[in-house]
Amino acid sequence: MKRNIGFFLIVIFLIVDYVVFIFVWDSRQVTGSAPSISVPNSVLKLSVEDDVEDMLEGISASDNEDGSLTDKVYIESISTFDENQERTITYTVFDSDDNVARATRKIKYTDYEEPTFNIEKALCIYYVTSTEEYKDYVSAYSVVDGDISSSITIDSVNYGDSYDLESITYSVTDSCGTTTTETYDVTSINYYANIDIELEEYLITVDVGQTIYASSYIESVIEDNIEHDPSDYDIEISDNYEPYTPGTYEFIYRIDRSTSYGITKLTVIVEE
């Protein structure tokens, strides 16, 4: 019995000793008062092209022991837009004892625009092994984040009555929380095109009434891995373009020979 009591007392002693050690260790690690960050009350107006230094404008920090810590302040996070189209920046600073201080400030962009898509290659599709491959046909850009193509999602792949692929709906969201969704018509082809008709662009936006010189967008024709002058081919161009009606239209380019075939298209968005 005495042996059990002795063992019990030893265990209690070790536990108490450990608790005291942890308390002393923590008190050594974090000492003194926390630093402070001074943040202006006004909303900071920024251009999307401004950098981190501009986001730190008017911010200062100090500590009783360390003095000025302004050059130690960093941006911990930036929120998505709130209902006022403003974002909240969280600023953080540590002193030499690892005490931390945080503060927030609202920012508002003066020239923000929602993310945009671009078509990287003609949406004339013969065959894919996975719907993920449809992402290769488009890219996305944010004025705040730059290239956000890796964030593109496919919302739907839409088929017609004959089960031919007719359109694909894409979405992308930037760091501000703004989502852009676009649906692009697809030309479904039933056999492999062995001629590549390459265009300078595959998606353009024009004003109402603008004339489109479709042939001027042809960059090259590639057959048997050899680049050819487009003038060496009879390229048929058809379209559904209505220049005075806002909407999305297509110019279809075709080369149709007895042993070779090529197709591509230019998507045109008419805006008011």
Side-chain angles (χ1 to χ4, degrees):
M1 183 66 178
K2 291 182 178 179
R3 183 177 298 174
N4 290 338
I5 293 174
F7 176 76
F8 178 75
L9 291 174
I10 291 173
V11 171
I12 294 297
F13 174 78
L14 291 174
I15 292 174
V16 172
D17 188 57
Y18 177 75
V19 171
V20 171
F21 172 79
I22 293 298
F23 176 78
V24 172
W25 176 261
D26 286 345
S27 66
R28 289 177 179 176
Q29 294 303 305
V30 180
T31 60
S33 60
S36 62
I37 301 178
S38 176
V39 179
N41 292 324
S42 60
V43 175
L44 178 61
K45 294 184 178 180
L46 296 171
S47 166
V48 295
E49 297 182 356
D50 287 336
D51 56 22
V52 172
E53 293 301 319
D54 297 298
M55 294 182 181
L56 292 168
E57 179 183 329
I59 307 298
S60 61
S62 62
D63 178 78
N64 291 336
E65 295 181 1
D66 299 329
S68 175
L69 294 173
T70 300
D71 60 348
K72 303 294 184 183
V73 177
Y74 67 92
I75 295 173
E76 182 176 303
S77 64
I78 308 178
S79 73
T80 56
F81 280 139
D82 61 18
E83 63 275 9
N84 298 317
Q85 288 295 99
E86 295 174 349
R87 304 180 78 181
T88 299
I89 295 182
T90 298
Y91 302 96
T92 302
V93 69
F94 286 88
D95 65 14
S96 59
D97 293 319
D98 285 337
N99 296 308
V100 63
R102 291 183 175 86
T104 61
R105 187 181 191 183
K106 297 284 189 180
I107 65 169
K108 191 176 185 69
Y109 296 117
T110 59
D111 51 357
Y112 176 79
E113 296 178 358
E114 69 176 29
T116 56
F117 282 100
N118 190 38
I119 298 176
E120 295 299 322
K121 56 183 179 180
L123 285 164
C124 299
I125 298 176
Y126 167 63
Y127 174 77
V128 295
T129 58
S130 166
T131 56
E132 286 294 300
E133 292 183 38
Y134 294 134
K135 294 180 182 179
D136 297 337
Y137 288 81
V138 298
S139 62
Y141 177 79
S142 162
V143 293
V144 174
D145 307 315
D147 186 356
I148 54 173
S149 301
S150 61
S151 299
I152 293 173
T153 61
I154 298 173
D155 290 357
S156 63
V157 178
N158 313 300
Y159 296 87
D161 295 336
S162 61
Y163 301 103
D164 285 338
L165 180 60
E166 289 191 343
S167 65
I168 302 171
T169 301
Y170 298 93
S171 288
V172 71
T173 303
D174 66 9
S175 64
C176 296
T178 303
T179 298
T180 297
T181 300
E182 296 285 358
T183 298
Y184 295 114
D185 290 339
V186 173
T187 300
S188 185
I189 54 179
N190 297 320
Y191 47 96
Y192 177 71
N194 54 5
I195 297 178
D196 292 326
I197 307 171
E198 297 191 343
L199 305 181
E200 293 179 358
E201 298 178 85
Y202 295 91
L203 173 66
I204 61 172
T205 301
V206 299
D207 295 328
V208 168
Q210 183 168 325
T211 300
I212 303 294
Y213 298 97
S215 59
S216 67
Y217 287 90
I218 301 173
E219 186 172 60
S220 65
V221 174
I222 298 176
E223 184 176 8
D224 297 327
N225 295 319
I226 300 173
E227 184 174 330
H228 299 270
D229 190 320
S231 62
D232 295 337
Y233 292 82
D234 181 14
I235 302 176
E236 176 189 345
I237 303 176
S238 59
D239 68 86
N240 61 352
Y241 186 50
E242 297 180 15
Y244 294 98
T245 304
T248 301
Y249 303 94
E250 297 178 335
F251 286 78
I252 306 294
Y253 303 72
R254 285 187 175 87
I255 297 173
D256 198 353
R257 294 177 168 181
S258 58
T259 58
S260 56
Y261 176 72
I263 183 171
T264 193
K265 70 177 177 179
L266 172 67
T267 300
V268 179
I269 299 174
V270 178
E271 293 184 342
E272 291 187 277

